[in-house]
Amino acid sequence: MELRLDEAGLTGFLKREFGQVAQDFAVERVGPEGLVLRLKVSERHLRPGGTVSGPSIFALADVAMYLAILSRIGPVALAVTTNSSIDFMRKPVAGRDLLGEARLLKLGRSLAVGDVLVRSEGQAEPVARASLTYSIPPVR
Protein backbone atom coordinates (compact mmCIF):
# COMPACT_ATOMS: atom_id res chain seq x y z
CA MET A 1 0.00 0.00 0.00
CA GLU A 2 1.30 3.43 -0.89
CA LEU A 3 2.06 6.10 1.69
CA ARG A 4 -0.39 8.99 1.94
CA LEU A 5 1.77 11.02 4.35
CA ASP A 6 5.56 11.12 4.54
CA GLU A 7 7.74 12.38 7.42
CA ALA A 8 7.07 16.05 6.62
CA GLY A 9 3.31 15.48 6.21
CA LEU A 10 3.06 13.57 9.50
CA THR A 11 5.11 16.20 11.34
CA GLY A 12 2.92 18.99 9.97
CA PHE A 13 -0.25 17.12 10.92
CA LEU A 14 1.02 16.55 14.45
CA LYS A 15 1.86 20.25 14.85
CA ARG A 16 -1.53 21.39 13.50
CA GLU A 17 -3.78 18.92 15.30
CA PHE A 18 -1.80 18.08 18.45
CA GLY A 19 0.35 21.13 19.09
CA GLN A 20 0.26 20.50 22.84
CA VAL A 21 2.51 17.42 22.44
CA ALA A 22 4.08 17.81 19.00
CA GLN A 23 7.36 19.18 20.39
CA ASP A 24 7.89 15.92 22.31
CA PHE A 25 8.13 13.80 19.16
CA ALA A 26 10.10 13.54 15.92
CA VAL A 27 9.28 11.24 13.01
CA GLU A 28 12.54 9.44 12.26
CA ARG A 29 11.44 7.19 9.42
CA VAL A 30 8.27 6.13 7.64
CA GLY A 31 7.88 3.50 4.96
CA PRO A 32 5.85 0.48 3.87
CA GLU A 33 7.31 -1.55 6.75
CA GLY A 34 6.18 0.93 9.41
CA LEU A 35 7.26 4.03 11.25
CA VAL A 36 9.90 5.02 13.81
CA LEU A 37 9.04 7.85 16.19
CA ARG A 38 11.42 9.51 18.66
CA LEU A 39 10.36 10.68 22.11
CA LYS A 40 12.65 13.60 22.91
CA VAL A 41 13.07 12.76 26.57
CA SER A 42 13.24 15.75 28.90
CA GLU A 43 12.92 16.31 32.64
CA ARG A 44 9.11 16.34 32.43
CA HIS A 45 9.09 12.75 31.13
CA LEU A 46 10.95 11.40 34.14
CA ARG A 47 9.61 9.81 37.28
CA PRO A 48 11.35 9.68 40.65
CA GLY A 49 14.57 7.72 40.29
CA GLY A 50 15.39 9.34 36.95
CA THR A 51 13.74 6.86 34.59
CA VAL A 52 11.20 7.63 31.87
CA SER A 53 7.66 7.34 33.22
CA GLY A 54 5.21 4.68 32.08
CA PRO A 55 2.72 7.28 30.78
CA SER A 56 5.47 8.81 28.61
CA ILE A 57 6.38 5.40 27.19
CA PHE A 58 2.70 4.70 26.51
CA ALA A 59 2.32 8.08 24.79
CA LEU A 60 5.22 7.21 22.48
CA ALA A 61 3.62 3.87 21.55
CA ASP A 62 0.18 5.41 21.03
CA VAL A 63 1.38 8.34 18.89
CA ALA A 64 3.69 6.07 16.88
CA MET A 65 0.82 3.74 15.97
CA TYR A 66 -1.50 6.66 15.22
CA LEU A 67 1.03 8.19 12.82
CA ALA A 68 1.78 4.81 11.21
CA ILE A 69 -1.93 4.48 10.43
CA LEU A 70 -2.19 8.05 9.12
CA SER A 71 0.82 7.47 6.87
CA ARG A 72 -1.39 4.94 5.06
CA ILE A 73 -4.88 6.49 5.23
CA GLY A 74 -4.06 10.21 5.19
CA PRO A 75 -4.86 12.95 7.73
CA VAL A 76 -7.86 11.47 9.56
CA ALA A 77 -7.87 13.31 12.89
CA LEU A 78 -10.75 11.28 14.35
CA ALA A 79 -9.09 7.85 14.23
CA VAL A 80 -9.00 6.79 17.89
CA THR A 81 -7.43 4.14 20.10
CA THR A 82 -9.99 1.49 21.04
CA ASN A 83 -7.70 -1.00 22.79
CA SER A 84 -4.14 -1.12 24.05
CA SER A 85 -1.94 -3.44 26.01
CA ILE A 86 1.62 -2.63 27.02
CA ASP A 87 4.36 -4.74 28.57
CA PHE A 88 7.12 -2.84 30.35
CA MET A 89 10.18 -5.09 30.08
CA ARG A 90 13.18 -3.15 31.34
CA LYS A 91 14.23 0.24 32.62
CA PRO A 92 15.07 2.77 29.87
CA VAL A 93 18.68 3.95 29.69
CA ALA A 94 19.04 7.24 31.58
CA GLY A 95 19.59 10.36 29.53
CA ARG A 96 18.62 8.86 26.16
CA ASP A 97 15.68 9.42 23.87
CA LEU A 98 13.26 6.57 23.25
CA LEU A 99 12.43 5.20 19.81
CA GLY A 100 9.09 3.57 19.05
CA GLU A 101 9.01 1.27 16.03
CA ALA A 102 5.41 0.85 14.88
CA ARG A 103 4.30 -1.96 12.60
CA LEU A 104 0.81 -2.29 11.15
CA LEU A 105 -0.44 -5.87 11.29
CA LYS A 106 -3.90 -5.23 9.82
CA LEU A 107 -5.34 -2.15 8.18
CA GLY A 108 -9.02 -2.50 7.39
CA ARG A 109 -11.76 0.01 6.58
CA SER A 110 -12.87 0.42 10.19
CA LEU A 111 -10.09 -1.07 12.36
CA ALA A 112 -6.30 -1.03 12.39
CA VAL A 113 -4.17 -3.34 14.53
CA GLY A 114 -0.47 -3.03 15.17
CA ASP A 115 2.39 -3.28 17.58
CA VAL A 116 5.14 -0.96 18.76
CA LEU A 117 8.56 -1.91 20.14
CA VAL A 118 10.08 0.82 22.32
CA ARG A 119 13.84 0.99 22.77
CA SER A 120 16.31 3.37 24.36
CA GLU A 121 18.34 4.99 21.60
CA GLY A 122 21.37 2.83 20.79
CA GLN A 123 20.07 -0.26 22.60
CA ALA A 124 18.92 -3.50 20.99
CA GLU A 125 16.79 -4.77 23.88
CA PRO A 126 13.23 -3.40 24.02
CA VAL A 127 12.08 -1.31 26.96
CA ALA A 128 8.41 -2.01 26.21
CA ARG A 129 6.09 -3.70 23.72
CA ALA A 130 2.61 -2.40 22.99
CA SER A 131 -0.29 -3.83 21.02
CA LEU A 132 -2.85 -1.27 19.84
CA THR A 133 -6.16 -1.26 17.98
CA TYR A 134 -7.58 1.89 16.39
CA SER A 135 -11.05 2.66 15.12
CA ILE A 136 -11.09 4.45 11.77
CA PRO A 137 -14.12 6.65 11.14
CA PRO A 138 -16.18 5.96 8.00
CA VAL A 139 -15.45 8.09 4.94
CA ARG A 140 -18.19 10.67 4.42
Side-chain angles (χ1 to χ4, degrees), residues 4-16 27 67 75:
R4 295 271 185 92
L5 290 172
D6 61 9
E7 288 94 339
L10 291 167
T11 299
F13 177 85
L14 199 57
K15 286 179 181 175
R16 278 189 313 278
V27 178
L67 294 179

Side-chain angles (χ1 to χ4, degrees), residues 1 3 30-35 64-73 101-108 111-116 132-134 136:
M1 180 178 227
L3 293 179
V30 63
E33 71 288 346
L35 174 137
M65 183 53 58
Y66 181 59
L67 294 179
I69 293 166
L70 296 186
S71 76
R72 300 289 187 87
I73 68 172
E101 185 175 339
R103 179 176 61 141
L104 285 170
L105 302 174
K106 178 187 183 288
L107 180 59
L111 287 178
V113 178
D115 60 21
V116 180
L132 299 108
T133 303
Y134 268 75
I136 301 168

Side-chain angles (χ1 to χ4, degrees), residues 32-86:
E33 71 288 346
L35 174 137
V36 176
L37 185 68
R38 175 182 300 270
L39 173 63
K40 298 184 266 184
V41 175
S42 68
E43 186 70 28
R44 66 194 183 110
H45 299 111
L46 304 181
R47 61 174 286 257
T51 190
V52 179
S53 71
S56 295
I57 295 170
F58 175 79
L60 172 60
D62 194 37
V63 174
M65 183 53 58
Y66 181 59
L67 294 179
I69 293 166
L70 296 186
S71 76
R72 300 289 187 87
I73 68 172
V76 180
L78 296 178
V80 295
T81 311
T82 58
N83 189 49
S84 180
S85 172
I86 189 164

